[in-house]
């Protein structure tokens, strides 16, 4: 059976292109993982997700333990079969969701007791329980259960939280069941404090994990501080291990993080934007509810072959959102995920070709420009509206 490992293919500065071998297939990196929190990528069939080029998706322990329940998923053949995704699945441990519950949760040294946001029922998550649930789901990559403190916070509070997460990481590792092609990632915490990040990396590498995630960022600290934290953290992670930046982010965030050596990403941004009429393009975002699109016969993007672009006009997408038709969020989510996958493929190809600096400069220049003018992106199949 395939062993879990990350293989380097090419480098450009700190950026890396490689392959992640797993029990459920091989994924080219750097990679973006669509978020399928409750066993579905919102507004998408899994065939649609596959068509975008995605190689791995994300599920969530907290949500799946509440509905439909990990044991039910196991009895029905595991999460891969349950959601029609035979490829790799990474499951977030539920720590971020539990910590976001505020007064609905009680934290202690052993774990967290919380009330469901659905029906108020009481539940308990510990490092062992989170690990067991992810095993029941048959997650290809399991995440350690950790605490993710909100920023800004005093350095003393961040240190206490990080050290508790490191103790929990030891317990997660002891509870993990090693299997060929499966992995468990430790999560690096420490806020934006360089010394605490370094301490966290040392603690996790002493325990030993198949991969390492950088948590506790994109929680309000701003891009500059996120990037400076990555600058002092990523290089401390073992070079032969995959590096995962959790919950990030915008296209510019992804590019900057890849340049700093990150291999894996997830974020709800492209799917959430699709449901709220925002389209990602090579020249920034468009609000498809804006009246200027009402008579626009062009596609969202001339470089995209998703159904929203290859079969429909901006005017049609505008119409769908203004009439609250569910097809609008479906098509725009498809488009946004296709854009994110195309972005990652382009960045990866530039690393392999040795042209990443030029490619990155081109991407940033494009993002800074205004939307395409009509003579730049004709849509020949649909005549202009008078």
């Amino acid at each position: 059976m395939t062993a879990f490992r990350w293989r380097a293919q090419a480098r450009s500065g700190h950026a890396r292109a490689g392959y992640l071998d797993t029990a459920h297939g091989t994924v080219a990196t750097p990679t973006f993982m669509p978020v399928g929190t409750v066993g579905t990528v919102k507004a998408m069939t899994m065939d649609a997700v596959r068509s975008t080029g995605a190689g791995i998706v994300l599920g969530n322990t907290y949500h799946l333990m509440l509905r439909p329940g990990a044991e039910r998923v196991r009895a029905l053949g595991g999460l891969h079969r349950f959601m029609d995704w035979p490829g790799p699945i990474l499951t977030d441990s539920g720590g971020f969701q539990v910590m976001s519950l505020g007064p609905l949760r009680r934290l202690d040294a052993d774990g967290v007791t919380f009330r469901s946001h659905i029906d108020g029922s009481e539940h308990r998550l510990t490092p062992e329980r989170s690990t067991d649930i992810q095993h029941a789901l048959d997650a290809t990559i399991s995440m350690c259960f950790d605490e993710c403190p909100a920023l800004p916070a005093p350095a003393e509070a961040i240190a206490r939280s990080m050290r508790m997460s490191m103790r929990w990481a030891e317990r997660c590792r002891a509870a993990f069941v090693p299997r060929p092609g499966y992995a468990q990632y430790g999560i690096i915490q420490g806020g934006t404090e360089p010394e605490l990040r370094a301490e966290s990396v040392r603690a996790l590498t002493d325990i030993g994990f198949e991969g390492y995630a950088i948590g506790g960022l994109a929680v309000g600290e701003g891009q500059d501080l996120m990037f400076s934290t990555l600058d002092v953290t990523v290089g401390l992670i073992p070079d032969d291990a995959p590096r995962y930046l959790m919950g990030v982010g915008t296209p510019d965030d992804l590019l900057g993080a890849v340049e700093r050596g990150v291999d894996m990403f997830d974020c709800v941004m492209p799917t959430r934007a699709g449901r709220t009429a925002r389209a990602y393009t090579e020249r920034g975002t468009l609000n498809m509810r804006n009246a200027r699109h009402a008579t626009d016969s062009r596609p969202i993007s001339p470089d995209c072959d998703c159904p929203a672009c290859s079969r429909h006009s901006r005017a049609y997408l505008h119409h769908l959102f203004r009439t609250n038709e569910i097809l609008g969020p479906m098509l725009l989510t498809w488009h946004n995920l296709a854009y994110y996958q195309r972005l990652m493929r382009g960045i990866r190809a530039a690393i392999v070709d040795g042209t990443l600096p030029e490619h990155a400069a081109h991407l940033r220049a494009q993002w800074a420009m205004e939307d395409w003018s009509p003579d730049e992106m004709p849509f020949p199949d649909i005549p202009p509206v008078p």
Side-chain angles (χ1 to χ4, degrees):
M1 195 171 185
T2 302
F4 185 95
R5 62 169 180 161
W6 180 82
R7 297 179 281 127
Q9 180 186 10
R11 300 174 188 265
S12 177
H14 296 295
R16 317 164 353 143
Y19 296 98
L20 190 66
D21 296 325
T22 82
H24 298 103
T26 296
V27 180
T29 64
T31 187
F32 178 83
M33 298 180 285
V35 175
T37 302
V38 294
T40 175
V41 178
K42 284 183 171 58
M44 297 282 284
T45 66
M46 297 317 289
D47 280 341
V49 175
R50 279 185 279 271
S51 77
T52 68
I56 177 172
V57 298
L58 181 143
N60 183 264
T61 295
Y62 167 83
H63 290 281
L64 290 168
M65 71 175 281
L66 295 179
R67 293 185 301 192
E71 292 307 321
R72 181 174 297 176
V73 173
R74 182 185 351 226
L76 292 168
L79 190 56
H80 299 270
R81 182 175 180 183
F82 191 59
M83 67 184 289
D84 183 32
W85 184 264
I89 299 174
L90 181 148
T91 48
D92 193 0
S93 69
F96 179 81
Q97 287 72 29
V98 169
M99 300 310 158
S100 300
L101 292 174
L104 295 177
R105 52 92 172 172
R106 297 191 310 276
L107 174 69
D108 57 61
D110 186 58
V112 184
T113 302
F114 63 94
R115 292 196 175 278
S116 164
H117 71 286
I118 300 166
D119 59 10
S121 58
E122 188 170 277
H123 299 268
R124 177 80 173 162
L125 265 180
T126 64
E128 293 80 8
R129 177 63 178 147
S130 173
T131 304
D132 290 347
I133 290 170
Q134 294 177 80
H135 181 83
L137 295 173
D138 194 31
T140 315
I141 301 173
S142 300
M143 301 302 300
C144 282
F145 187 62
D146 67 337
E147 183 188 17
C148 179
L151 299 179
E156 296 80 6
I158 295 173
R160 285 195 302 272
S161 173
M162 180 273 290
R163 288 165 187 154
M164 183 172 66
S165 290
M166 297 307 99
R167 293 191 293 272
W168 286 0
E170 288 189 80
R171 293 165 55 188
C172 287
R173 194 58 176 170
F176 179 70
V177 179
R179 290 147 289 160
Y182 288 77
Q184 185 182 50
Y185 285 13
I187 302 178
I188 302 162
Q189 291 289 354
T192 56
E193 305 293 327
E195 297 82 4
L196 295 180
R197 287 284 175 175
E199 180 182 337
S200 182
V201 173
R202 287 194 299 272
L204 292 174
T205 52
D206 285 347
I207 298 168
F209 291 90
E210 287 79 18
Y212 298 88
I214 302 163
L217 293 177
V219 290
E221 74 282 355
Q223 189 189 72
D224 289 344
L225 199 48
M226 179 179 73
F227 283 167
S228 65
T229 303
L230 291 178
D231 287 333
V232 300
T233 304
V234 176
L236 302 175
I237 300 172
D239 185 69
D240 61 350
R243 304 157 173 175
Y244 164 31
L245 178 57
M246 305 180 74
V248 175
T250 68
D252 191 39
D253 290 339
L254 268 60
L255 175 60
V258 169
E259 290 175 316
R260 289 163 172 81
V262 176
D263 307 305
M264 302 174 67
F265 303 88
D266 80 282
C267 191
V268 299
M269 202 167 286
T271 48
R272 182 174 292 166
R275 299 194 302 276
T276 56
R278 288 180 294 131
Y280 283 95
T281 79
E282 286 73 9
R283 294 194 182 177
T285 58
L286 300 175
N287 181 354
M288 300 313 299
R289 290 187 181 274
N290 194 303
R292 70 190 177 99
H293 302 302
T295 59
D296 196 333
S297 63
R298 299 173 297 162
I300 298 170
S301 170
D303 301 319
C304 184
D305 61 359
C306 79
C309 292
S310 62
R311 301 179 187 177
H312 301 293
S313 66
R314 296 184 183 193
Y316 184 62
L317 270 294
H318 170 82
H319 162 71
L320 292 176
F321 278 98
R322 291 300 294 267
T323 54
N324 295 317
E325 286 292 337
I326 196 170
L327 183 58
M330 292 170 65
L331 287 172
L332 207 53
T333 298
W334 197 328
H335 166 80
N336 286 343
L337 288 177
Y339 170 74
Y340 265 61
Q341 295 300 332
R342 191 165 65 253
L343 172 68
M344 299 308 290
R345 286 195 298 270
I347 293 172
R348 174 184 163 76
I351 296 171
V352 173
D353 294 342
T355 59
L356 182 61
E358 296 84 357
H359 184 69
H362 173 73
L363 286 174
R364 292 187 173 111
Q366 288 285 97
W367 291 330
M369 296 176 70
E370 295 295 324
D371 188 19
W372 290 269
S373 63
D375 60 347
E376 284 183 287
M377 52 172 295
F379 198 163
D381 294 331
I382 300 178
V385 176

